[in-house]
Amino acid sequence: MKGTGFLLILSSALLLSGRYVRIQKKQTDTIFSFASMLEQMCAELEINMTPMPELLNRLAKSTTGTARDFLISLTNSLSELGGTAFRQLWLRALFIHSQSMDKDCLRELTELGDFLGRYSLQAQCDAIRSCSARLRLLEDRRRKRQVSDRRLLTGLALSGAALLGIMLL
Amino acid sequence: MQALLLSAFRPVFTGRGKDISALFSYAAPDMHRLSMGSERMDAIKIVRELLPAELLEIPDEFPKMEELRLRVGRKPGIVMQGREIETTRRRIDQETLMQILEKATGASMHAAAATLQNGFVSYRGIRIGVCGEVACVGEEIIGMRCVGSLAIRIPHACTEEVRAVIESLFQPDVVSTLIVGAPGAGKTSLLREMIRCASSRALIVSVIDERNELSASFGGRAQYDLGPCCDVMIGARKEKASMMLLRGMNPQIIAMDEISQKEDLRVIEQVAGCGVILFATAHGEGRDEMIKRPLYRRLLQAGYFHQMLTIRCLDGKRVYEREYLHA
């Protein structure tokens, strides 16, 4: 009985730490997908001056993960332009998918929305480039932290479970 | 918010990527062709699409409206029979104007930068004049810093009367024709109908559509019915477009809107020199008034046009006057 209890504590501690690590990884992947999408967006704008609806369509095709879902939501809401400003549509689409986003990433993308749609090509590209650079930095930092976090959490879970186990036994 | 719209314009066609438009509602907009018969109603519908909800409450004036004028800090103005009347709606703020421009450009001011430099954007055949504080580098206008007012023009209805006028213009033969009238007289609508009629007679017509107003093309397809034998060059200036069309499309007729500068005269000379029939429009009150202006004097004396059609508004009615320029 005590052995089963010990095993249950151990497995739930490992599951919890695993879940935390998975959430962290998903958030990092989201940052990666947005940074890649923004890099493509900037290239497409600079080379082709593609209008926004067409640009979002193309990007959704070549993007994966949360960024793709975000682009689809945004594209679907473009028919509301005129009554609603583009930055509000951008913001709304972001918040639909904000659950899988890190708050720093969300803040960066929210700020970017203010620069898209109304400004010159150069101004938009500059804003996109700087946002994607910041996201890359954020992604790098998180990936490095993720490795140490995984070790730390696994260690904590194991030692916590061991401590409880000793107390039980 | 200030918008700085820069000048560089490059083609936007890439041909890359698969079409996934089925996934998105905006990628496949209502691509219905605007029929000439219901052109005005369609135009009103398009204008309604552009406007925010609070401006849509102009029901009585809409059908008679020629232009809708929106200025920051003022109530919307409606132009009917050449006079502007202020409506009783709320005052316009800059955000409203920016939202209309966002709708018109699909949140892509950068893609409309070239036309914005010339003071307008086009939305499905509706011309939206844009006015405000321009941004300059040296003497060159590179964009618009701040939008202060918009003038949304609504195309005129193409009536049976207009069709009868065009039929008579095409008798005994289709010849080079200059359409003259005051701003808002309906020159562009008449030119569009002339293109359609000529094209329907199996004449190959090439259209120089600098402002995308004649064809209202979207995704490479003209939304106004310009007939079966019509090719449209959109966005290029007349001098470039005419050479491209003459070299590439072998037209029998070239149609262009608004002759207004001396470069346009060179284009007309070039086109007429190639034996191509010309359809064009110009701002003016009639021959006597136009002959006083050096540009139009040269145009009329050069003999490029065989006939001139003057549109006048008398007592709220349009009067069409045909005049032979050269035997």
Side-chain angles (χ1 to χ4, degrees):
Chain A
M1 192 69 184
K2 282 180 181 173
T4 316
F6 173 71
L7 277 175
L8 278 171
I9 290 165
L10 182 68
S11 55
S12 58
L14 282 171
L15 273 172
L16 272 174
S17 68
R19 187 175 143 74
Y20 179 79
V21 168
R22 262 203 314 281
I23 290 168
Q24 293 293 310
K25 189 180 178 306
K26 197 179 175 195
Q27 285 184 349
T28 311
D29 289 345
T30 301
I31 297 170
F32 168 78
S33 71
F34 272 101
S36 309
M37 181 269 279
L38 291 178
E39 281 158 8
Q40 277 184 57
M41 184 187 253
C42 192
E44 190 74 39
L45 276 174
E46 279 184 326
I47 295 165
N48 299 316
M49 283 181 71
T50 316
M52 199 57 79
E54 195 185 331
L55 177 65
L56 298 177
N57 273 342
R58 283 189 192 167
L59 290 174
K61 191 178 69 66
S62 54
T63 310
T64 52
T66 314
R68 184 179 188 273
D69 299 339
F70 161 76
L71 287 168
I72 292 172
S73 302
L74 182 60
T75 312
N76 286 336
S77 67
L78 283 184
S79 56
E80 289 175 43
L81 275 176
T84 315
F86 180 75
R87 64 166 180 272
Q88 285 168 321
L89 300 178
W90 175 277
L91 204 64
R92 202 201 297 161
L94 267 183
F95 276 95
I96 292 173
H97 305 284
S98 60
Q99 279 184 331
S100 55
M101 270 187 227
D102 168 85
K103 68 175 190 301
D104 290 333
C105 171
L106 192 63
R107 198 191 57 236
E108 295 291 348
L109 290 168
T110 305
E111 280 172 17
L112 177 64
D114 292 340
F115 288 91
L116 299 179
R118 292 185 179 183
Y119 287 90
S120 71
L121 185 72
Q122 197 54 48
Q124 289 188 73
C125 286
D126 288 348
I128 295 167
R129 221 176 281 120
S130 101
C131 180
S132 68
R134 283 198 296 269
L135 290 185
R136 286 285 182 211
L137 207 66
L138 197 64
E139 184 203 342
D140 274 358
R141 217 180 296 147
R142 286 186 67 103
R143 284 210 193 278
K144 279 175 195 160
R145 208 177 62 196
Q146 220 170 279
V147 179
S148 55
D149 274 5
R150 195 184 303 146
R151 283 188 199 133
L152 181 71
L153 284 166
T154 315
L156 274 173
L158 285 172
S159 52
L163 200 68
L164 276 168
I166 291 162
M167 282 165 69
L168 269 171
L169 293 169
Chain B
M1 180 181 288
Q2 291 188 333
L4 179 63
L5 312 159
L6 291 188
S7 59
F9 178 79
R10 282 169 283 168
V12 295
F13 310 113
T14 62
R16 278 193 275 132
K18 277 189 249 165
D19 180 23
I20 51 160
S21 55
L23 272 173
F24 309 102
S25 61
Y26 198 89
D30 43 343
M31 287 278 292
H32 69 285
R33 282 171 86 90
L34 305 178
S35 62
M36 298 301 282
S38 61
E39 177 184 308
R40 187 161 171 87
M41 288 317 292
D42 284 333
I44 289 169
K45 207 170 128 188
I46 293 167
V47 172
R48 280 183 183 276
E49 274 175 28
L50 268 176
L51 300 177
E54 68 269 20
L55 284 179
L56 287 175
E57 302 158 10
I58 316 174
D60 300 333
E61 295 93 334
F62 247 120
K64 293 173 274 175
M65 199 162 68
E66 290 164 10
E67 261 182 52
L68 178 63
R69 291 192 167 256
L70 307 170
R71 300 179 181 94
V72 173
R74 310 285 306 182
K75 290 173 180 173
I78 285 173
V79 178
M80 289 189 288
Q81 295 182 347
R83 299 192 68 177
E84 188 176 329
I85 305 152
E86 200 173 59
T87 64
T88 51
R89 312 295 148 191
R90 73 161 177 87
R91 291 177 195 279
I92 300 290
D93 56 14
Q94 206 191 24
E95 184 57 26
T96 306
L97 299 191
M98 291 310 293
Q99 282 187 22
I100 292 170
L101 280 180
E102 267 192 351
K103 173 76 178 178
T105 59
S108 313
M109 297 282 202
H110 58 277
T115 63
L116 263 166
Q117 277 176 65
N118 293 318
F120 68 93
V121 291
S122 290
Y123 176 69
R124 299 178 62 197
I126 303 288
R127 182 169 56 174
I128 305 166
V130 185
C131 193
E133 187 188 339
V134 295
C136 295
V137 171
E139 287 185 0
E140 195 192 348
I141 295 172
I142 57 159
M144 200 158 280
R145 212 184 289 279
C146 184
V147 177
S149 51
L150 299 179
I152 303 172
R153 294 192 64 177
I154 300 168
H156 290 86
C158 187
T159 57
E160 284 304 317
E161 183 190 36
V162 169
R163 290 195 186 94
V165 168
I166 290 164
E167 280 306 311
S168 73
L169 282 177
F170 286 0
Q171 298 300 330
D173 217 343
V174 178
V175 290
S176 291
T177 306
L178 180 66
I179 304 163
V180 174
K187 300 181 293 293
T188 305
S189 301
L190 197 132
L191 176 63
R192 196 185 290 127
E193 183 64 8
M194 270 179 81
I195 294 165
R196 196 187 65 80
C197 288
S199 174
S200 302
R201 289 177 173 217
L203 290 164
I204 300 166
V205 187
S206 287
V207 179
I208 301 173
D209 196 1
E210 275 183 275
R211 292 177 299 224
N212 197 14
E213 204 176 357
L214 285 166
S215 64
S217 292
F218 192 94
R221 182 179 170 182
Q223 292 191 63
Y224 283 119
D225 180 10
L226 296 179
C229 308
C230 187
D231 309 297
V232 188
M233 188 71 79
I234 303 151
R237 295 191 67 82
K238 290 186 186 79
E239 57 266 33
K240 298 274 181 198
S242 63
M243 280 316 293
M244 290 160 83
L245 290 169
L246 286 169
R247 283 180 189 142
M249 302 312 292
N250 195 23
Q252 290 167 299
I253 298 170
I254 285 187
M256 62 185 85
D257 203 9
E258 285 188 20
I259 296 164
S260 57
Q261 45 195 343
K262 62 177 189 285
E263 289 81 11
D264 299 344
L265 284 187
R266 280 204 295 272
V267 173
I268 286 167
E269 189 180 10
Q270 193 178 49
V271 171
C274 294
V276 175
I277 297 167
L278 272 160
F279 292 166
T281 67
H283 285 304
E285 300 291 337
R287 189 176 182 167
D288 294 341
E289 184 265 337
M290 290 180 81
I291 213 97
K292 290 175 191 161
R293 290 187 273 167
L295 180 82
Y296 292 125
R297 188 165 57 238
R298 275 179 57 201
L299 178 73
L300 295 175
Q301 285 171 351
Y304 302 129
F305 292 96
H306 292 77
Q307 60 184 353
M308 184 165 95
L309 181 79
T310 308
I311 310 171
R312 293 181 209 280
C313 286
L314 296 174
D315 302 327
K317 287 189 110 183
R318 285 197 169 74
V319 178
Y320 300 90
E321 288 174 11
R322 181 190 194 181
E323 199 175 343
Y324 292 100
L325 297 173
H326 297 276

